[in-house]
Each structure stands twice: as C-alpha cells, then as structure tokens.
Amino acid sequence: MSTGTSEAVLQVLSGSVPRFFDSDSCFSKSDSIFLSKSYMKCVKKRASRYMKLLSCSSTRQNPIGTYRFHSIGGGLYGNFIIDRFQLLSCKCQRAESVSEVTVEDGNGTWFVDEAKKISPINGMVNTTNVLDLKEVQKLDQEDFSSNGNIPTAETVRDTFHKTSVDSIEDEAWDLLRESMVYYCGGPIGTIAAKDPTGSSVLNYDQVFIRDFIPSGIAFLLKGEYDIVRNFILHTLQLQSWEKTMDCHSPGQGLMPASFKVRTVPLDGDDSAMEEVLDPDFGEAAIGRVAPVDSGLWWIILLRAYGKSSGDLSVQERVDVQTGIRMILRLCLADGFDMFPTLLVTDGSCMVDRRMGIHGHPLEIQALFYSALLCAREMLAPEDGSADLIRALNNRLVALSFHIREYYWIDMKKLNEIYRYKTEEYSYDAVNKFNIYPDQISPWLVEWMPNKGGYLIGNLQPAHMDFRFFSLGNLWSVVSSLATLDQSHAILDLVEAKWADLVADMPFKICYPALEGQEWQIITGSDPKNTPWSYHNGGSWPTLLWQLTVACIKMNRPEIAAKAVKIAEKRISRDKWPEYYDTKRARFIGKQSRLFQTWSVAGYLVSKLLLADPSAAKILITEEDSELVNAFSCMISANPRRKRGRKSSKQTYIV
Ligand code: GLC
C-alpha cells in the first residue's frame, strides 16, 4: 500500500485526525458494572465435578438454570453464577415442541424455474442471470462428454428428470432428520456423521458447532425453528463452562468445538439416569485446537434465526446478549498484535489440523468480520455498551481496510509484488510487510487468470500465503468484507479455475495442495493431509452452500446451479462423503466419513436457496454505508491512489 493511505489509516486509528469511532477498550468499567448489576452474583464455592456437565434431570430443582463460570485465578470477573431462568422454561418439557418439527411438503420446484422469478435480494423479476433448462441440459451433456461418456438420450433424460433430483432431495431430508440429536426430549443439533461403515467413530458422533450451521440454515429455510432455537440456547450455556487444559483456562466466551449428549446415572441415585451435555473446547480434540470459529458462527446463526423466524425474542434475551458480548470481548481484547486481523493458532477453524494457517488466516477474518456486523445489528443499546460498540466499529473499519488492501491479489497486484523493493525501513514503505518477490511461487504465475483475483490465505511479516482458501473467499463475498469489484473478481476466478476448484465435485477447500518437502515441514508429515486429500486440497461438498450464498449475493446464481448439478451426479450414489481426494476430486476421500451431515445439509441449503434466492438475505450482510465512508476517507487521504466511492464530506458519530 502506498504512503498516503497508510498514514491516513494510522492517523484515523490513532486519533490524530478526527475520529469516526473511538478506540477505547471494550472492557469498559460501565460495561462490567452493567453485567454484574443486572445478573451476576459472586460465589465462593467451586463447582463440583457433576457441574462440569450440563445436566437435565426432572428430579433436580433448577437443573441447568444455574451454572458456574469458573476462573481459577479469579480472572476478569472472578467466580460467579449466572441465573438464566428464562432457559429453564425450555428444559425437560420439549415433548410438545418436538412434534412441531413436522415433515413439511418437499419443495418440488426446480431451482432454475424459481431463480428466474425472483432476483436474489430485492425480489425483483430477473431473468438475465439464471441458467435456463436448455442451458443446464447443455452443461450436463458437456460434463458427460468431458468424462468420456457419450450421453444417451436416456441418461440425459434421467439426469434431468425432476423426480430424480427430488429423490436426492428427499433422501437428503431423511438423512438430515436421522442425524438429529435430542436432549430432554427436544431436538438440539445434528450429529457430524452417521456412517454405519465407520470403524473408528472418533468424535464424529458429536454435534459440531460449525457443522450444525448448514443443518440449522436448512431447518430455518424449511420453517422448522425449534431445533435452531434449542441449539442456540444450549450452546450458549456451554460457552460459560469450565474449560481447562493442564491447569490453563482459555478466555471466557469461547464456544465449544462440539458437544455430546450423554446419559449418565443421576448424581446420588444410581437407579435413575439423566442426560448431560458434555462439551469439548479443544481439550479432547486432536491437536488440542481451540475452535475460534465456533462463537463467530454462533452469532451468524443467531442473526439468521431472528431474520428467518421473525422471533427476535431470542436475541433480545439478557443471557443471549451476554453471550454475544462475551464472544466480542474475547475477540476484541487488546493484545500484542499490530494488525486488526485476529491472531490464532493453526487449526482453529474448519481446517482443524496443522496446515500452516496459524497467524491471520482468511477464514477466521471473514467470519470475524461477518460476526461483528451481525452482532452490531443485534446488540441492545444498553447503558455501558457504547464502548463495546465503538471498539467494534473501529475494528470493522480497520479490518476491512487491512484485508481489502493487503490480502487482495490479481494480475496487477502480483506484478507489483514481483517488482517490490525490500528492506524499506520507514513509515512510508510500499512493501510494508517486507515480502521478498521470490516468494511468488511458479504455480501462481501460471494460475492467476487475467480476469479475476482473490484474497490470499494469510499475511505475516515477510510472508504471504498465496494459497486460495475457498471458505474465506466465499464468506468475504457474503459478508461484504471484499468490495463489490473484488467479490465479482472472486467469482470470475471461480469460473476461470473451474477445472481446479470444482472439477468432478465441488468444492476444493484450498488450492494448490502442499507437496513434497513443503508438505513434510508444514503439516508435520500428516498422513491424513497428504497432497490433494482432506484439508490439503481435498474437495468438500459442504462448501456448496457457501458458494451458493456468495453467488446469489452477486446475482450470479448460475455458477452455483452448475456446481450443484455436478454434485448431484455422484453425491447420493457415493453416500454423501465428507470429502473427496485427488486433483479432480475423482475419489471418495481416503479416510472420508460417509453420510456426513454437513455434506447433506450443504446440498439442501444450496437447493433451497436456489429455489428461493431471496431467502439468502438471512446470511448476507450488505456493505455498510458508514464503513464505506470511513474507508473512503482513508483512501482519499492517499494522494497516489483513489478508490471506491467518492469520499463523503459527511462526518458521522456512532
Ligand atoms: C473434521 C473437519 C472439521 C469438522 C469435523 C466434524 O475435523 O476438519 O472441520 O468440523 O471434522 O465434521
């Protein structure tokens, strides 16, 4: 980035020019007073062993309405109890609401017909950007031909016959319902995989927070709100649970990676049983990774629930508001970092094994940005929340600036990097992160299309991770972390690199794979992450849903429709695998689970959204005009480079 721009950023963020937002710490005194006065009581006693598990038992008084926050060393708030009495009402009496989860009529409308009727966001009639039947049939024939199979009239007819597509959808709904997990009689989540052939279950019998998101969205789109509401409220209870690893506790506000419903003997009464929720915050997970994405997804789902069901009472609850604030505090806490991006360890998101993404991985930044925007929409304007909102707004501006400016890469930028000077000691260095041009890998020089671009995987001092990570890029489009131009360019790249990113099964988790010595050093010779397998260039059907939301947002649903058609050829026949291997995604993954729930749910969400693109707005966040103004002010302070909308003279106070 050029001198003027960086100075403007520094000035804006340090307050030497009029501020748009204050940068006070979010740990304000007033906020903690608000918390303690409203609903926290100090306690002296440590929780007993059984309180480690959230339990549901009809014999115990107030079974899970009271639970303990543990902070061994006193922590920020010491030990306290929060009574979440409201939650009690949904305990152990869900039988009647379970029956509300009924099987509704399947949506037999073929998505292409529907996509014609409604434009994604504004509901206008739109026929320009959708595939029509003939076009999709052509695509399908081409795909058959590219596989070396001559399409017969019969195969083409079969493939496109609406009933066969409907039967895949029906099967997917059956599988999704079979994966539902119940707690105290009510649906609370979906199991990660229900693979009858699986030899080692590991933790795939748990409800993963990130895996439940497409399940939850599918249920919301179907009008089945109970399971999502229960999931939101029960995982909220787990957020504040005691979590330690070798006597160390992570920050309050962390959401678990997964949880399991266990049936255990009732405390003090061996003849009776009770159900307990047993969370895993990474203390048991392979590699002991803290799931940074869980809380961010939780906020995104909470907003989607409110938008979809119209029931805002959940997000308005005091305990839910506290949950949002705890996640924000954890993410917005001051640290040593110079960047506005979140600093995390390797494996803290969907890629939950060592893959060299530690630092500031794009996936986390996109979810962070999205969660900040969603939280801002939902936070109640309480006394004492002004500081938190200010910190949040500051971060939004700085984060979007940082990602749009420094993570973006296309032919032009690549050429700039190629000609970078290095070792520039000064405030006005062009090559701020001291990137050595030799880092530009030979694959990238060949791979970068003339039209299109993407956000790189990670940025550190003297290090740009040029790998293309799909989820981070797609969610940057959905959340408007990427500019409009960048968002279109990302989809242009998806189209240009179709054979690499989609090939025989959408969608590659990252491109390219780490191979040879790089694989040895970066993954630690991980036998599960061998080249073009699993996280290392494997293809994950679940990513279809994020692709679909991104395409709908950009009014280019035909790209997602084409990917769905490809998935439909194999996904059911292959038994809904977790991931596929090889460069072209030709094999079911080496250690892939079958009947992986988020593969099923991801497909369903794509189908439902393509049938009714306007429903995608529950997930989309449009570019915020205040942020655009703040961003433009920074850019316009740059004499060498003007970008985006015209700078507005308007000053705004948040
Ligand atoms: C694997 C994936 C992770 C997922 C989990 C459960 O560990 O890497 O993203 O949440 O399986 O499906």
Side-chain angles (χ1 to χ4, degrees):
M1 188 181 64
S2 59
T3 318
T5 316
S6 66
E7 273 171 9
V9 178
L10 285 173
Q11 285 169 354
V12 168
L13 298 180
S14 66
S16 57
V17 296
R19 282 182 189 188
F20 305 109
F21 311 110
D22 268 341
S23 60
D24 303 66
S25 158
C26 54
F27 296 106
S28 80
K29 206 172 142 205
S30 48
D31 208 23
S32 52
I33 289 170
F34 162 74
L35 286 170
S36 59
K37 271 199 185 155
S38 304
Y39 40 82
M40 290 187 182
K41 290 191 241 156
C42 285
V43 289
K44 295 187 185 93
K45 214 175 76 165
R46 282 204 58 180
S48 61
R49 166 69 188 99
Y50 72 81
M51 286 299 288
K52 277 190 180 161
L53 308 170
L54 273 183
S55 66
C56 162
S57 137
S58 50
T59 53
R60 196 177 287 152
Q61 276 253 304
N62 191 6
I64 56 169
T66 302
Y67 39 87
R68 287 156 169 73
F69 283 42
H70 253 297
S71 166
I72 288 174
L76 189 59
Y77 299 111
N79 296 341
F80 46 78
I81 290 181
I82 291 183
D83 289 331
R84 291 180 175 173
F85 290 113
Q86 282 173 283
L87 207 55
L88 272 177
S89 58
C90 74
K91 292 291 148 267
C92 306
Q93 20 172 298
R94 302 305 300 164
E96 72 285 12
S97 62
V98 178
S99 61
E100 285 164 21
V101 183
T102 51
V103 182
E104 288 181 14
D105 291 337
N107 185 343
T109 319
W110 202 36
F111 59 79
V112 172
D113 302 337
E114 281 299 315
K116 267 188 195 167
K117 291 181 201 149
I118 321 162
S119 105
I121 307 306
N122 52 23
M124 303 275 287
V125 175
N126 170 14
T127 49
T128 51
N129 272 322
V130 292
L131 292 182
D132 63 18
L133 180 60
K134 278 199 195 107
E135 226 177 309
V136 178
Q137 282 180 333
K138 203 174 113 232
L139 280 171
D140 200 63
Q141 285 172 0
E142 279 165 10
D143 285 335
F144 270 113
S145 313
S146 71
N147 284 344
N149 300 325
I150 311 287
T152 62
E154 206 180 1
T155 52
V156 172
R157 198 171 46 246
D158 279 349
T159 310
F160 287 104
H161 202 273
K162 185 171 161 295
T163 49
S164 74
V165 170
D166 280 354
S167 75
I168 300 179
E169 269 185 76
D170 290 346
E171 185 199 357
W173 274 114
D174 289 346
L175 290 170
L176 187 62
R177 288 185 204 290
E178 278 166 28
S179 75
M180 281 161 79
V181 172
Y182 292 83
Y183 175 62
C184 302
I188 189 186
T190 49
I191 195 173
K194 216 162 191 280
D195 184 352
T197 64
S199 49
S200 147
V201 174
L202 296 175
N203 50 357
Y204 283 86
D205 62 347
Q206 306 209 2
V207 179
F208 276 75
I209 307 303
R210 74 174 71 87
D211 293 39
F212 180 72
I213 305 304
S215 299
I217 302 295
F219 286 120
L220 290 180
L221 295 173
K222 199 76 168 160
E224 297 175 16
Y225 305 125
D226 268 16
I227 185 170
V228 181
R229 183 176 188 277
N230 292 345
F231 172 87
I232 288 169
L233 293 175
H234 282 93
T235 46
L236 175 68
Q237 296 171 353
L238 300 174
Q239 177 192 35
S240 45
W241 217 246
E242 178 181 6
K243 33 196 178 273
T244 55
M245 189 189 142
D246 300 339
C247 300
H248 175 72
S249 307
Q252 292 291 352
L254 188 69
M255 283 279 182
S258 60
F259 65 84
K260 193 172 165 62
V261 179
R262 292 187 198 280
T263 307
V264 297
L266 188 64
D267 207 50
D269 176 4
D270 283 351
S271 62
M273 303 297 275
E274 64 177 340
E275 283 183 343
V276 294
L277 293 184
D278 189 4
D280 178 11
F281 293 91
E283 321 99 295
I286 296 166
R288 303 292 184 266
V289 279
V292 179
D293 62 341
S294 290
L296 306 174
W297 277 123
W298 183 86
I299 289 178
I300 294 165
L301 184 66
L302 175 64
R303 171 181 177 264
Y305 169 83
K307 284 204 165 286
S308 178
S309 67
D311 169 18
L312 299 183
S313 69
V314 173
Q315 68 191 49
E316 285 165 0
R317 285 168 55 137
V318 169
D319 55 349
V320 174
Q321 287 282 318
T322 306
I324 300 173
R325 280 163 213 269
M326 283 172 68
I327 296 169
L328 293 180
R329 277 196 194 89
L330 191 57
C331 295
L332 295 172
D334 294 333
F336 288 110
D337 215 6
M338 293 298 289
F339 306 153
T341 34
L342 261 189
L343 178 62
V344 298
T345 61
D346 221 341
S348 54
C349 50
M350 178 184 179
V351 176
D352 58 358
R353 291 164 84 90
R354 185 174 157 195
M355 266 294 289
I357 63 161
H358 51 87
H360 306 91
L362 180 66
E363 176 180 333
I364 289 290
Q365 314 315 324
L367 293 175
F368 182 33
Y369 185 80
S370 182
L372 287 180
L373 282 178
C374 294
R376 192 169 68 158
E377 240 179 81
M378 295 186 292
L379 272 177
E382 303 278 357
D383 287 349
S385 63
D387 291 332
L388 186 67
I389 304 269
R390 260 194 294 274
L392 188 156
N393 278 322
N394 276 339
R395 195 63 172 257
L396 279 170
V397 177
L399 182 62
S400 66
F401 180 84
H402 187 87
I403 297 286
R404 291 169 175 197
E405 200 64 21
Y406 304 127
Y407 277 57
W408 183 252
I409 190 155
D410 53 15
M411 266 309 265
K412 186 167 161 276
K413 182 71 181 288
L414 198 55
N415 207 157
E416 270 172 38
I417 298 170
Y418 181 72
R419 290 165 53 79
Y420 265 168
K421 291 188 179 49
T422 57
E423 319 299 338
E424 296 174 283
Y425 177 84
S426 67
Y427 290 106
D428 51 7
V430 173
N431 180 7
K432 276 203 176 55
F433 306 101
N434 201 32
I435 305 298
Y436 300 108
D438 274 358
Q439 270 176 44
I440 300 175
S441 318
W443 71 263
L444 183 59
V445 178
E446 300 302 323
W447 199 68
M448 182 63 81
N450 287 327
K451 186 176 173 214
Y454 65 97
L455 297 164
I456 59 168
N458 213 323
L459 177 69
Q460 319 262 32
H463 175 61
M464 283 179 125
D465 183 344
F466 289 113
R467 282 175 291 172
F468 173 86
F469 283 89
S470 305
L471 180 46
N473 272 282
L474 296 173
W475 211 258
S476 297
V477 174
V478 173
S479 64
S480 299
L481 175 57
T483 65
L484 268 184
D485 288 350
Q486 289 173 344
S487 299
H488 275 299
I490 289 169
L491 295 187
D492 290 342
L493 178 122
V494 168
E495 285 195 301
K497 296 290 153 189
W498 194 259
D500 292 326
L501 300 176
V502 176
D504 288 356
M505 179 56 71
F507 202 89
K508 196 139 280 171
I509 194 167
C510 69
Y511 185 92
L514 299 168
E515 302 192 66
Q517 216 180 17
E518 232 184 352
W519 165 76
Q520 279 175 356
I521 295 168
I522 295 178
T523 71
S525 300
D526 184 348
K528 203 167 173 183
N529 272 333
T530 50
W532 308 108
S533 180
Y534 201 44
H535 301 136
N536 189 14
S539 298
W540 294 64
T542 188
L543 292 168
L544 254 186
W545 79 269
Q546 286 105 341
L547 172 72
T548 305
V549 185
C551 292
I552 288 175
K553 179 176 182 231
M554 302 315 294
N555 206 8
R556 294 166 73 172
E558 72 281 3
I559 302 175
K562 192 174 158 189
V564 168
K565 296 269 12 141
I566 290 171
E568 268 168 352
K569 284 188 196 144
R570 297 177 64 188
I571 194 161
S572 155
R573 200 186 63 201
D574 290 347
K575 303 196 177 70
W576 307 90
E578 179 188 14
Y579 65 95
Y580 285 78
D581 283 358
T582 78
K583 241 175 164 175
R584 281 193 60 91
R586 302 192 72 185
F587 292 165
I588 296 170
K590 225 183 331 182
Q591 293 187 44
S592 170
R593 306 286 137 168
L594 301 180
F595 301 105
Q596 180 82 16
T597 304
W598 70 352
S599 299
V600 174
Y603 166 76
L604 281 174
V605 171
S606 291
K607 294 292 287 187
L608 290 164
L609 290 179
L610 287 167
D612 178 11
S614 65
K617 64 178 176 294
I618 65 170
L619 294 158
I620 287 168
T621 43
E622 292 296 347
E623 192 159 40
D624 183 280
S625 60
E626 283 162 359
L627 288 181
V628 173
N629 284 340
F631 191 80
S632 302
C633 290
M634 291 179 189
I635 298 289
S636 61
N638 173 3
R640 280 174 43 195
R641 194 159 166 192
K642 293 216 190 295
R643 195 163 87 176
R645 296 169 206 194
K646 275 190 193 139
S647 76
S648 152
K649 289 216 174 87
Q650 175 198 356
T651 49
Y652 38 87
I653 298 158
V654 176

